[in-house]
Amino acid sequence: MASLSNTLAFFVAAVIPIPALRAFCLQAAVLTLFNMAAMLFLFPAVVSIDMRRRSARRLDVFCCFSASASDAVLELKKGTLDDCRKQYDLPKKILARALPGTQQCETILAPMDLEAQLQDFEVMSAVQETCSSSMQQLTDDERRPLRDRCAETQRECCSFSITWFACEVYGPFLEKTWVKLTIVLMFLMLIAGATWGITQVDDGLEVTDLVPRHTTEYEFLAARSEYFDFYYMFAVTQGNYDYPKHQQLLYSYQDAFTRIGSIIKNDDGGLPDFWLGMFRDWLIKLQQAFDRDWRDGCIVQQKWYANASNDAILAYKLLVQTGDVDNPVSKVQVNTVRLVDGHGFIYQKAFYNYLTAWASHDVLAYATSMASLVPAPRIWHHEGHTDYELRIPKSSALTYTQLPFYLHNMADTKDIMSVIEEARAICDKYEEKGLPNFVTGVPFTFWEQYMHLRYYMMVALAVTTIITFLVIAVILMNPWLAAIVVSKH
C-alpha cells in the first residue's frame, strides 16, 4: 500500500507545469511502480529459489558446492526415538559411576530399558562431584562430544557462506568496544559533513528549467541568460497615500534604490526620473514659458494675446486652477501661484488638475514613465489660442503607481537573492514611514521563494518528525520503537 500510494502521489504531481519537476515526478512514479512489482513478483520467486538451495544443501555464495548439515532444511515429522537416532545419529544417554575403593569413575551407555528411569538429577550431581578429580584432567576440547568436533571440522573445511561469515566473523567484530565507538564517531562525522554540505548548496533553479527543451522559449531564455543578464523591476506604491502632500517622501523612496549596485544608473550615479519627476519637469518648462511671455507682455492677468506661445497659454490655464470643485478657476492667483515651488514640489491644491493636463499633453513622457497610474488620469485637450475654456477636469486620487528600475549583472541565484534582500529592506523601511509599497518583477516572482526556503524546509521536517514519532508512539505504545523509526528515516 505504501508503494502504491507513493506511485499515485508522483503521478498526480506530474501535472505541475514546470517541466523539470514534471519529468522528476514521472520518473519517480515509474521507478516506484517497478519497485512495487519487483517486491510482489521477483522477491517471492527469489525466496523460493533460496529454499530449494537450502533443501539441496548448497552454499549461498557458491551454489555449485555442498553445504554442511547445519544449513539443511529439516522437515519436521512424527517418529520414534530410535528413528531419530538412526536418522540424525544421536548418541544414547551416558551413565557415570564410581569405582569402589578408588578416586576414579567410569562412563557406560545406559541400557535401553533404564533410560526412562534416569530422571533423578541429584544422583547425577553426586556422581559428578565424585568424578571431579578425574574430569579436571580433561581439556575443554576433549570434553566436547566427538560428533560436535566432527561437525565443526566439516563446517570449517567446506561451509563458507554469508551466514557463516555474519555469525563467525562480522558479528563478533561488531561486538568489540572500539568498533562500536568508531562507528558512532563516523556517524557523527557524517552528520556534521552533511550539515556543512547543505549550507554549501546553491538555492534555486535556472529560468530555462521552467520551459521545455528544444523550444523557441528555451533558446530565448538560454541566450538571454548567457549574453543579456538584464531584468526589470518595479517599486509599487499603493493605498490611500497622499501624493500631493508627501512628494518629498516619494523622491526619497526612489533615491533609496541607488544603494542597490545591480540597478542601472545614469552617468552621474543617479537614477533615471520616474513619473513624478517627469511630471515636475514638464510643469517647470511650462512655468518658464509663462514667465517669459508674462515678462514680454504677451500674457496679462485676465487674458493672453495672439503672440503668446502655446506652452505659456497652457501654463496660464494651469495657474488659474484652484483645485476646489465649487470654485475651480481663479485668475487672481496667476502671478501669485507657481506650478512648482522653490523646493521642487508641485502645487498641492491643483495637483490632480495638473496631472490631467500632463497625461493628456505629454503623452510620450507619460508612456515612457511606465507609471501605470490607477485610476488612470482623465482626458483633456488644449486647443491653443482659440480655446478659452479655463476649467481643467480633476483626476481621481491615485491608489497605485509604479517606479521602474533596470537590473544587470544578475548571473546567478546568489546575486539575484542579494538584490531581493536589499529591495525588501528598503520597502520595510518606508513602510514604517507611512508609504505603503512593495517591489515586483521577474526576479521577485521567480527567485523570492528561495529566500526562506531552508527555514521553512527545516520547520516542515521538524513538524513531520514530531508528528510521526507521536503517532507511532501512541499507536504501538512503544516510544523506543517510535524513536528508532524516526531516526531511521
mmCIF file of all heavy atoms in Angstrom, residues 289 293 297-299 302-317 361 380-390:
data_model
loop_
_atom_site.group_PDB
_atom_site.id
_atom_site.type_symbol
_atom_site.label_atom_id
_atom_site.label_comp_id
_atom_site.label_asym_id
_atom_site.label_seq_id
_atom_site.Cartn_x
_atom_site.Cartn_y
_atom_site.Cartn_z
ATOM 1 N N ALA A 289 8.043 79.118 -19.778
ATOM 2 C CA ALA A 289 7.413 79.742 -20.946
ATOM 3 C C ALA A 289 6.436 80.821 -20.511
ATOM 4 O O ALA A 289 6.354 81.903 -21.138
ATOM 5 C CB ALA A 289 6.696 78.674 -21.767
ATOM 6 N N ASP A 293 6.681 84.950 -21.407
ATOM 7 C CA ASP A 293 5.597 85.698 -22.068
ATOM 8 C C ASP A 293 5.000 86.745 -21.131
ATOM 9 O O ASP A 293 4.542 87.808 -21.587
ATOM 10 C CB ASP A 293 4.511 84.737 -22.537
ATOM 11 C CG ASP A 293 4.922 83.962 -23.777
ATOM 12 O OD1 ASP A 293 6.113 84.037 -24.138
ATOM 13 O OD2 ASP A 293 4.067 83.268 -24.367
ATOM 14 N N GLY A 297 4.902 90.752 -21.940
ATOM 15 C CA GLY A 297 3.575 91.342 -22.081
ATOM 16 C C GLY A 297 2.644 90.560 -22.978
ATOM 17 O O GLY A 297 1.574 91.066 -23.353
ATOM 18 N N CYS A 298 2.995 89.362 -23.316
ATOM 19 C CA CYS A 298 2.112 88.552 -24.169
ATOM 20 C C CYS A 298 0.940 87.985 -23.375
ATOM 21 O O CYS A 298 -0.076 87.572 -23.963
ATOM 22 C CB CYS A 298 2.902 87.410 -24.798
ATOM 23 S SG CYS A 298 4.267 87.945 -25.842
ATOM 24 N N ILE A 299 1.069 87.943 -22.064
ATOM 25 C CA ILE A 299 0.010 87.439 -21.188
ATOM 26 C C ILE A 299 -0.146 88.405 -20.025
ATOM 27 O O ILE A 299 0.845 88.881 -19.458
ATOM 28 C CB ILE A 299 0.348 86.036 -20.665
ATOM 29 C CG1 ILE A 299 0.421 85.012 -21.803
ATOM 30 C CG2 ILE A 299 -0.682 85.573 -19.639
ATOM 31 C CD1 ILE A 299 0.796 83.626 -21.348
ATOM 32 N N GLN A 302 -5.818 88.841 -16.972
ATOM 33 C CA GLN A 302 -7.154 88.483 -17.420
ATOM 34 C C GLN A 302 -7.184 87.686 -18.718
ATOM 35 O O GLN A 302 -8.167 87.000 -18.994
ATOM 36 C CB GLN A 302 -7.980 89.760 -17.595
ATOM 37 C CG GLN A 302 -8.196 90.552 -16.313
ATOM 38 C CD GLN A 302 -8.963 89.770 -15.270
ATOM 39 O OE1 GLN A 302 -9.870 88.995 -15.608
ATOM 40 N NE2 GLN A 302 -8.602 89.953 -13.996
ATOM 41 N N LYS A 303 -6.124 87.788 -19.533
ATOM 42 C CA LYS A 303 -6.175 87.103 -20.822
ATOM 43 C C LYS A 303 -4.773 86.957 -21.391
ATOM 44 O O LYS A 303 -3.797 87.425 -20.806
ATOM 45 C CB LYS A 303 -7.055 87.871 -21.803
ATOM 46 C CG LYS A 303 -6.530 89.276 -22.123
ATOM 47 C CD LYS A 303 -7.411 89.974 -23.132
ATOM 48 C CE LYS A 303 -6.845 91.365 -23.501
ATOM 49 N NZ LYS A 303 -7.643 92.064 -24.511
ATOM 50 N N TRP A 304 -4.722 86.349 -22.561
ATOM 51 C CA TRP A 304 -3.480 86.262 -23.319
ATOM 52 C C TRP A 304 -3.690 86.847 -24.705
ATOM 53 O O TRP A 304 -4.816 86.937 -25.203
ATOM 54 C CB TRP A 304 -3.006 84.807 -23.414
ATOM 55 C CG TRP A 304 -3.967 83.902 -24.139
ATOM 56 C CD1 TRP A 304 -4.094 83.718 -25.472
ATOM 57 C CD2 TRP A 304 -4.964 83.069 -23.531
ATOM 58 N NE1 TRP A 304 -5.086 82.839 -25.770
ATOM 59 C CE2 TRP A 304 -5.645 82.402 -24.565
ATOM 60 C CE3 TRP A 304 -5.359 82.821 -22.189
ATOM 61 C CZ2 TRP A 304 -6.677 81.504 -24.338
ATOM 62 C CZ3 TRP A 304 -6.379 81.935 -21.969
ATOM 63 C CH2 TRP A 304 -7.037 81.284 -23.034
ATOM 64 N N TYR A 305 -2.588 87.234 -25.338
ATOM 65 C CA TYR A 305 -2.674 87.854 -26.655
ATOM 66 C C TYR A 305 -2.265 86.849 -27.723
ATOM 67 O O TYR A 305 -1.795 85.735 -27.422
ATOM 68 C CB TYR A 305 -1.791 89.102 -26.712
ATOM 69 C CG TYR A 305 -2.292 90.183 -25.779
ATOM 70 C CD1 TYR A 305 -1.663 90.394 -24.534
ATOM 71 C CD2 TYR A 305 -3.352 91.010 -26.150
ATOM 72 C CE1 TYR A 305 -2.105 91.390 -23.682
ATOM 73 C CE2 TYR A 305 -3.796 92.014 -25.290
ATOM 74 C CZ TYR A 305 -3.180 92.190 -24.059
ATOM 75 O OH TYR A 305 -3.625 93.177 -23.207
ATOM 76 N N ALA A 306 -2.404 87.260 -28.953
ATOM 77 C CA ALA A 306 -2.155 86.353 -30.074
ATOM 78 C C ALA A 306 -0.699 85.962 -30.197
ATOM 79 O O ALA A 306 -0.366 84.909 -30.757
ATOM 80 C CB ALA A 306 -2.623 86.998 -31.386
ATOM 81 N N ASN A 307 0.206 86.800 -29.688
ATOM 82 C CA ASN A 307 1.628 86.475 -29.791
ATOM 83 C C ASN A 307 2.122 85.586 -28.646
ATOM 84 O O ASN A 307 3.306 85.304 -28.536
ATOM 85 C CB ASN A 307 2.460 87.735 -29.848
ATOM 86 C CG ASN A 307 2.233 88.628 -28.638
ATOM 87 O OD1 ASN A 307 1.312 88.394 -27.851
ATOM 88 N ND2 ASN A 307 3.066 89.666 -28.472
ATOM 89 N N ALA A 308 1.210 85.158 -27.768
ATOM 90 C CA ALA A 308 1.599 84.255 -26.667
ATOM 91 C C ALA A 308 1.849 82.853 -27.215
ATOM 92 O O ALA A 308 1.175 82.387 -28.137
ATOM 93 C CB ALA A 308 0.515 84.226 -25.599
ATOM 94 N N SER A 309 2.811 82.183 -26.610
ATOM 95 C CA SER A 309 3.139 80.814 -27.046
ATOM 96 C C SER A 309 2.105 79.824 -26.522
ATOM 97 O O SER A 309 1.381 80.092 -25.550
ATOM 98 C CB SER A 309 4.523 80.428 -26.569
ATOM 99 O OG SER A 309 4.566 80.389 -25.148
ATOM 100 N N ASN A 310 2.062 78.710 -27.192
ATOM 101 C CA ASN A 310 1.080 77.687 -26.817
ATOM 102 C C ASN A 310 1.385 77.148 -25.410
ATOM 103 O O ASN A 310 0.470 76.906 -24.613
ATOM 104 C CB ASN A 310 1.108 76.552 -27.843
ATOM 105 C CG ASN A 310 -0.027 75.565 -27.633
ATOM 106 O OD1 ASN A 310 -1.178 75.957 -27.437
ATOM 107 N ND2 ASN A 310 0.289 74.280 -27.671
ATOM 108 N N ASP A 311 2.682 76.960 -25.073
ATOM 109 C CA ASP A 311 3.035 76.480 -23.733
ATOM 110 C C ASP A 311 2.680 77.499 -22.665
ATOM 111 O O ASP A 311 2.236 77.141 -21.566
ATOM 112 C CB ASP A 311 4.531 76.171 -23.672
ATOM 113 C CG ASP A 311 4.904 74.930 -24.474
ATOM 114 O OD1 ASP A 311 3.977 74.163 -24.832
ATOM 115 O OD2 ASP A 311 6.103 74.731 -24.737
ATOM 116 N N ALA A 312 2.841 78.788 -22.970
ATOM 117 C CA ALA A 312 2.509 79.826 -21.998
ATOM 118 C C ALA A 312 1.005 79.866 -21.752
ATOM 119 O O ALA A 312 0.558 80.067 -20.618
ATOM 120 C CB ALA A 312 3.009 81.175 -22.484
ATOM 121 N N ILE A 313 0.213 79.713 -22.804
ATOM 122 C CA ILE A 313 -1.243 79.693 -22.638
ATOM 123 C C ILE A 313 -1.666 78.502 -21.790
ATOM 124 O O ILE A 313 -2.529 78.600 -20.908
ATOM 125 C CB ILE A 313 -1.928 79.653 -24.015
ATOM 126 C CG1 ILE A 313 -1.620 80.940 -24.789
ATOM 127 C CG2 ILE A 313 -3.437 79.486 -23.865
ATOM 128 C CD1 ILE A 313 -2.112 80.931 -26.218
ATOM 129 N N LEU A 314 -1.052 77.324 -22.053
ATOM 130 C CA LEU A 314 -1.367 76.138 -21.252
ATOM 131 C C LEU A 314 -0.964 76.351 -19.799
ATOM 132 O O LEU A 314 -1.705 75.963 -18.873
ATOM 133 C CB LEU A 314 -0.655 74.921 -21.844
ATOM 134 C CG LEU A 314 -0.892 73.587 -21.142
ATOM 135 C CD1 LEU A 314 -2.381 73.257 -21.067
ATOM 136 C CD2 LEU A 314 -0.127 72.469 -21.834
ATOM 137 N N ALA A 315 0.171 77.005 -19.584
ATOM 138 C CA ALA A 315 0.597 77.302 -18.216
ATOM 139 C C ALA A 315 -0.380 78.250 -17.541
ATOM 140 O O ALA A 315 -0.665 78.119 -16.338
ATOM 141 C CB ALA A 315 1.997 77.885 -18.214
ATOM 142 N N TYR A 316 -0.903 79.237 -18.297
ATOM 143 C CA TYR A 316 -1.892 80.167 -17.743
ATOM 144 C C TYR A 316 -3.132 79.403 -17.258
ATOM 145 O O TYR A 316 -3.656 79.667 -16.164
ATOM 146 C CB TYR A 316 -2.272 81.182 -18.808
ATOM 147 C CG TYR A 316 -3.331 82.160 -18.382
ATOM 148 C CD1 TYR A 316 -2.999 83.331 -17.703
ATOM 149 C CD2 TYR A 316 -4.689 81.922 -18.642
ATOM 150 C CE1 TYR A 316 -3.977 84.231 -17.303
ATOM 151 C CE2 TYR A 316 -5.665 82.813 -18.246
ATOM 152 C CZ TYR A 316 -5.313 83.971 -17.586
ATOM 153 O OH TYR A 316 -6.299 84.858 -17.191
ATOM 154 N N LYS A 317 -3.608 78.460 -18.076
ATOM 155 C CA LYS A 317 -4.788 77.681 -17.671
ATOM 156 C C LYS A 317 -4.510 76.851 -16.427
ATOM 157 O O LYS A 317 -5.400 76.648 -15.589
ATOM 158 C CB LYS A 317 -5.223 76.777 -18.824
ATOM 159 C CG LYS A 317 -5.779 77.530 -20.021
ATOM 160 C CD LYS A 317 -6.265 76.564 -21.090
ATOM 161 C CE LYS A 317 -6.889 77.329 -22.271
ATOM 162 N NZ LYS A 317 -7.413 76.422 -23.304
ATOM 163 N N HIS A 361 -1.208 65.752 -22.543
ATOM 164 C CA HIS A 361 -0.413 66.560 -23.467
ATOM 165 C C HIS A 361 1.053 66.122 -23.557
ATOM 166 O O HIS A 361 1.689 66.356 -24.579
ATOM 167 C CB HIS A 361 -0.472 68.042 -23.044
ATOM 168 C CG HIS A 361 -1.818 68.648 -23.264
ATOM 169 N ND1 HIS A 361 -2.860 68.479 -22.389
ATOM 170 C CD2 HIS A 361 -2.307 69.411 -24.288
ATOM 171 C CE1 HIS A 361 -3.932 69.115 -22.833
ATOM 172 N NE2 HIS A 361 -3.617 69.684 -23.985
ATOM 173 N N TRP A 380 -8.108 65.379 -21.243
ATOM 174 C CA TRP A 380 -8.436 66.786 -21.504
ATOM 175 C C TRP A 380 -7.457 67.315 -22.542
ATOM 176 O O TRP A 380 -6.260 67.053 -22.462
ATOM 177 C CB TRP A 380 -8.329 67.607 -20.225
ATOM 178 C CG TRP A 380 -8.511 69.083 -20.461
ATOM 179 C CD1 TRP A 380 -9.682 69.756 -20.637
ATOM 180 C CD2 TRP A 380 -7.470 70.064 -20.534
ATOM 181 N NE1 TRP A 380 -9.467 71.098 -20.821
ATOM 182 C CE2 TRP A 380 -8.104 71.314 -20.769
ATOM 183 C CE3 TRP A 380 -6.082 70.029 -20.431
ATOM 184 C CZ2 TRP A 380 -7.387 72.503 -20.887
ATOM 185 C CZ3 TRP A 380 -5.370 71.212 -20.563
ATOM 186 C CH2 TRP A 380 -6.026 72.433 -20.784
ATOM 187 N N HIS A 381 -7.966 68.079 -23.540
ATOM 188 C CA HIS A 381 -7.130 68.577 -24.627
ATOM 189 C C HIS A 381 -7.207 70.101 -24.692
ATOM 190 O O HIS A 381 -8.296 70.694 -24.603
ATOM 191 C CB HIS A 381 -7.575 67.986 -25.967
ATOM 192 C CG HIS A 381 -7.353 66.495 -26.054
ATOM 193 N ND1 HIS A 381 -6.111 65.934 -26.170
ATOM 194 C CD2 HIS A 381 -8.242 65.463 -26.023
ATOM 195 C CE1 HIS A 381 -6.228 64.628 -26.222
ATOM 196 N NE2 HIS A 381 -7.515 64.310 -26.142
ATOM 197 N N HIS A 382 -6.061 70.685 -24.844
ATOM 198 C CA HIS A 382 -5.935 72.140 -25.019
ATOM 199 C C HIS A 382 -5.814 72.439 -26.517
ATOM 200 O O HIS A 382 -4.915 71.916 -27.187
ATOM 201 C CB HIS A 382 -4.694 72.629 -24.266
ATOM 202 C CG HIS A 382 -4.285 74.013 -24.609
ATOM 203 N ND1 HIS A 382 -5.104 75.117 -24.434
ATOM 204 C CD2 HIS A 382 -3.114 74.489 -25.139
ATOM 205 C CE1 HIS A 382 -4.469 76.191 -24.824
ATOM 206 N NE2 HIS A 382 -3.257 75.850 -25.263
ATOM 207 N N GLU A 383 -6.721 73.302 -27.037
ATOM 208 C CA GLU A 383 -6.802 73.560 -28.478
ATOM 209 C C GLU A 383 -5.944 74.733 -28.947
ATOM 210 O O GLU A 383 -5.895 75.007 -30.136
ATOM 211 C CB GLU A 383 -8.259 73.842 -28.857
ATOM 212 C CG GLU A 383 -9.221 72.698 -28.541
ATOM 213 C CD GLU A 383 -8.892 71.415 -29.290
ATOM 214 O OE1 GLU A 383 -8.211 71.507 -30.346
ATOM 215 O OE2 GLU A 383 -9.274 70.327 -28.833
ATOM 216 N N GLY A 384 -5.311 75.470 -28.055
ATOM 217 C CA GLY A 384 -4.442 76.566 -28.478
ATOM 218 C C GLY A 384 -5.038 77.935 -28.174
ATOM 219 O O GLY A 384 -5.775 78.121 -27.186
ATOM 220 N N HIS A 385 -4.738 78.923 -29.053
ATOM 221 C CA HIS A 385 -5.136 80.316 -28.806
ATOM 222 C C HIS A 385 -6.638 80.502 -28.781
ATOM 223 O O HIS A 385 -7.157 81.371 -28.078
ATOM 224 C CB HIS A 385 -4.525 81.228 -29.872
ATOM 225 C CG HIS A 385 -3.032 81.309 -29.795
ATOM 226 N ND1 HIS A 385 -2.179 80.306 -30.202
ATOM 227 C CD2 HIS A 385 -2.209 82.306 -29.321
ATOM 228 C CE1 HIS A 385 -0.934 80.645 -30.013
ATOM 229 N NE2 HIS A 385 -0.915 81.884 -29.481
ATOM 230 N N THR A 386 -7.374 79.702 -29.548
ATOM 231 C CA THR A 386 -8.818 79.915 -29.679
ATOM 232 C C THR A 386 -9.627 79.186 -28.626
ATOM 233 O O THR A 386 -10.858 79.296 -28.618
ATOM 234 C CB THR A 386 -9.270 79.457 -31.065
ATOM 235 O OG1 THR A 386 -8.955 78.069 -31.252
ATOM 236 C CG2 THR A 386 -8.582 80.281 -32.151
ATOM 237 N N ASP A 387 -8.967 78.426 -27.772
ATOM 238 C CA ASP A 387 -9.677 77.683 -26.736
ATOM 239 C C ASP A 387 -9.642 78.504 -25.447
ATOM 240 O O ASP A 387 -8.607 78.601 -24.790
ATOM 241 C CB ASP A 387 -9.004 76.317 -26.525
ATOM 242 C CG ASP A 387 -9.757 75.450 -25.527
ATOM 243 O OD1 ASP A 387 -10.850 75.849 -25.094
ATOM 244 O OD2 ASP A 387 -9.235 74.369 -25.171
ATOM 245 N N TYR A 388 -10.813 79.086 -25.123
ATOM 246 C CA TYR A 388 -10.874 79.954 -23.952
ATOM 247 C C TYR A 388 -11.478 79.261 -22.717
ATOM 248 O O TYR A 388 -11.755 79.919 -21.717
ATOM 249 C CB TYR A 388 -11.697 81.213 -24.276
ATOM 250 C CG TYR A 388 -11.042 82.058 -25.351
ATOM 251 C CD1 TYR A 388 -11.462 81.981 -26.674
ATOM 252 C CD2 TYR A 388 -10.011 82.937 -25.025
ATOM 253 C CE1 TYR A 388 -10.856 82.749 -27.654
ATOM 254 C CE2 TYR A 388 -9.399 83.706 -26.010
ATOM 255 C CZ TYR A 388 -9.817 83.607 -27.312
ATOM 256 O OH TYR A 388 -9.219 84.362 -28.307
ATOM 257 N N GLU A 389 -11.653 77.961 -22.812
ATOM 258 C CA GLU A 389 -12.167 77.215 -21.674
ATOM 259 C C GLU A 389 -11.029 77.022 -20.664
ATOM 260 O O GLU A 389 -10.002 76.406 -20.959
ATOM 261 C CB GLU A 389 -12.702 75.852 -22.111
ATOM 262 C CG GLU A 389 -13.177 74.966 -20.980
ATOM 263 C CD GLU A 389 -14.327 75.594 -20.196
ATOM 264 O OE1 GLU A 389 -15.217 76.223 -20.818
ATOM 265 O OE2 GLU A 389 -14.316 75.465 -18.952
ATOM 266 N N LEU A 390 -11.220 77.558 -19.463
ATOM 267 C CA LEU A 390 -10.156 77.522 -18.451
ATOM 268 C C LEU A 390 -10.263 76.334 -17.498
ATOM 269 O O LEU A 390 -9.269 75.962 -16.870
ATOM 270 C CB LEU A 390 -10.174 78.828 -17.649
ATOM 271 C CG LEU A 390 -9.944 80.122 -18.451
ATOM 272 C CD1 LEU A 390 -10.001 81.319 -17.519
ATOM 273 C CD2 LEU A 390 -8.611 80.071 -19.185
#
